[in-house]
Amino acid sequence: EAGVAQSPRYKIIEKRQSVAFWCNPISGHATLYWYQQILGQGPKLLIQFQNNGVVDDSQLPKDRFSAERLKGVDSTLKIQPAKLEDSAVYLCASSYQPLPDGYTFGSGTRLTVV
Amino acid sequence: GESVGLHLPTLSVQEGDNSIINCAYSNSASDYFIWYKQESGKGPQFIIDIRSNMDKRQGQRVTVLLNKTVKHLSLQIAATQPGDSAVYFCAENTGANSKLTFGKGITLSVRP
């Protein structure tokens, strides 16, 4: 079974620029999650999708972050404009249903904002 | 506020010894807990989980203990190997949508 695919692996941008991350979940996984992991900390949930609908985006900074999951498969997370404090690893995870069981994480995208 | 935390930031053990990683949680309503292992440049990898109606669960070389009275979770790794070197996170399930709250992580370093 293929894992959760994310791209790019690394990204360096200047503050105030925009950036987008892509995630392809495991086939058949209805639930998709985006996490932000700042260096030295545990992942923090940004947004959770069930198919193509948003279940929880309470911790997503909506003034600059946006995410979509068209057709309930792939997802993109965008930051515009980026700030220095957005430097982090952005992890995508997927699961069969909205349960912690079977969470599978991708390797993440490491973003550096300079 | 509610949080999941770890008592020690780093743990160094001798190869072959047993490791114990501890975690305190504050949300008494949490009903599901997971231990993750994260190696450099990779996403968190599931190790073992436990539900709140259990006190202990064993896997291959790993055991998770849950003490709901003091809201404490521990991960025991038997015969620690160099490949066990990584950052370990405990996470708790909060909310109806199965949101996971992670602790800050502890680094396990295995000495040869």
Side-chain angles (χ1 to χ4, degrees):
Chain A
E1 180 181 66
V4 175
Q6 290 190 248
S7 67
R9 288 285 281 127
Y10 305 93
K11 190 74 177 177
I12 300 175
I13 62 172
E14 295 183 348
K15 59 184 179 183
R16 291 187 290 274
Q17 285 187 325
S18 62
V19 64
F21 313 125
W22 175 81
C23 173
N24 179 234
I26 292 174
S27 179
H29 280 194
T31 310
L32 185 147
Y33 316 80
W34 282 103
Y35 284 83
Q36 179 192 58
Q37 185 175 23
I38 293 173
L39 184 64
Q41 298 183 17
K44 182 186 79 172
L45 180 69
L46 292 176
I47 189 167
Q48 176 184 343
F49 291 94
Q50 177 69 13
N51 296 309
N52 61 349
V54 175
V55 174
D56 184 350
D57 63 357
S58 58
Q59 298 194 82
L60 186 74
K62 298 180 186 64
D63 58 332
R64 298 183 300 106
F65 286 64
S66 64
E68 61 182 10
R69 191 184 184 196
L70 299 176
K71 301 180 181 179
V73 182
D74 294 5
S75 177
T76 56
L77 176 69
K78 298 179 182 177
I79 307 175
Q80 183 180 10
K83 293 185 176 181
L84 296 177
E85 58 261 37
D86 297 331
S87 294
V89 174
Y90 290 85
L91 294 162
C92 180
S94 69
S95 64
Y96 281 109
Q97 34 184 346
L99 292 172
D101 306 43
Y103 255 62
T104 302
F105 283 85
S107 295
T109 296
R110 179 176 296 279
L111 173 68
T112 302
V113 182
V114 298
Chain B
E2 297 172 340
S3 65
V4 176
L6 300 176
H7 296 306
L8 299 173
T10 60
L11 176 65
S12 180
V13 299
Q14 190 72 37
E15 181 179 357
D17 287 351
N18 296 334
S19 302
I20 300 176
I21 303 172
N22 296 305
C23 174
Y25 65 95
S26 58
N27 189 347
S28 57
S30 294
D31 60 0
Y32 182 69
F33 304 87
I34 307 176
W35 279 102
Y36 284 96
K37 172 186 180 183
Q38 188 172 27
E39 297 173 290
S40 180
K42 297 183 179 180
Q45 178 186 0
F46 174 92
I47 300 174
I48 192 168
D49 58 358
I50 189 168
R51 295 199 175 273
S52 59
N53 60 354
M54 302 172 68
D55 297 322
K56 179 180 179 179
R57 191 169 188 209
Q58 288 184 298
Q60 186 178 13
R61 283 203 306 119
V62 294
T63 301
V64 56
L65 299 177
L66 176 63
N67 186 331
K68 295 181 287 294
T69 302
V70 295
K71 289 185 282 188
H72 183 269
L73 192 69
S74 69
L75 176 70
Q76 300 178 1
I77 304 174
T80 312
Q81 302 170 0
D84 295 326
S85 294
V87 178
Y88 288 80
F89 294 95
C90 62
E92 64 180 310
N93 173 218
T94 54
N97 293 326
S98 303
K99 170 182 170 181
L100 285 181
T101 301
F102 284 79
K104 291 186 177 181
I106 181 168
T107 300
L108 176 64
S109 177
V110 182
R111 303 188 304 272

